[in-house]
Amino acid sequence: MKSILKKTFLLVSFIMIASCDVGIDDNQNVCSYIAGVGTTQVTGPVTAAVNEEITLTTTFSVANNCGSFYLFNETNGSNNDKNITINARFDGCNCNDIPVVKTEPYKFKAISAGVYNLKFKKTNTEFITHTITVS
């Protein structure tokens, strides 16, 4: 009996949740989104000490004046490689579709010695690699 009640409760709960309308109101205008943008330049130190934080300056372009830096999306590659995509946030419906160049500091700190290849995404198939030797 207890098992049947539990199953019935779970089924009713699932149906109630599935039937909820969580969509956007058709009359609401959505003018905010996040997208990956291409890195155009990376400058900064090429050497560092273990546990020393260094700052690289990244330059990127957003498609319009509503774009701003959102975050660095990082994924670890093989060995000490790190793939980095700059994500931008676009807020606003009335944007001038003229590309805008922006810069953002990127902080890097290694906890062990080695050669680190930071690969900043330029396009879907190209990267700007900044190599840092940590000793």
Side-chain angles (χ1 to χ4, degrees):
M1 180 70 174
K2 203 177 211 183
S3 176
I4 293 172
L5 286 174
K6 186 185 271 186
K7 287 179 183 177
T8 303
F9 175 77
L10 290 173
L11 179 63
V12 171
S13 297
F14 176 77
I15 292 170
M16 288 177 64
I17 292 170
S19 66
C20 289
D21 181 16
V22 294
I24 298 171
D25 184 0
D26 291 338
N27 296 325
Q28 184 180 1
N29 215 353
V30 178
C31 297
S32 179
Y33 63 95
I34 296 169
V37 296
T39 305
T40 57
Q41 184 178 19
V42 179
T43 59
V46 294
T47 60
V50 172
N51 289 321
E52 174 189 10
E53 183 175 86
I54 60 171
T55 302
L56 305 177
T57 300
T58 62
T59 305
F60 59 98
S61 181
V62 292
N64 58 50
N65 64 326
C66 290
S68 62
F69 175 79
Y70 181 64
L71 62 80
F72 291 104
N73 186 4
E74 302 174 342
T75 57
N76 292 326
S78 59
N79 300 322
N80 289 334
D81 290 356
K82 186 177 283 196
N83 297 325
I84 304 157
T85 301
I86 296 177
N87 285 346
R89 180 180 189 100
F90 294 86
D91 288 315
C93 295
N94 299 318
C95 307
N96 294 327
D97 288 334
I98 299 170
V100 179
V101 175
K102 305 221 176 224
T103 61
E104 187 69 25
Y106 176 82
K107 306 282 186 189
F108 174 79
K109 182 177 176 180
I111 59 171
S112 61
V115 176
Y116 293 82
N117 293 306
L118 306 180
K119 297 178 176 184
F120 291 85
K121 196 169 192 176
K122 185 175 184 177
T123 66
N124 284 336
T125 57
E126 295 179 288
F127 294 87
I128 296 175
T129 302
H130 190 88
T131 302
I132 301 170
T133 303
V134 178
S135 53

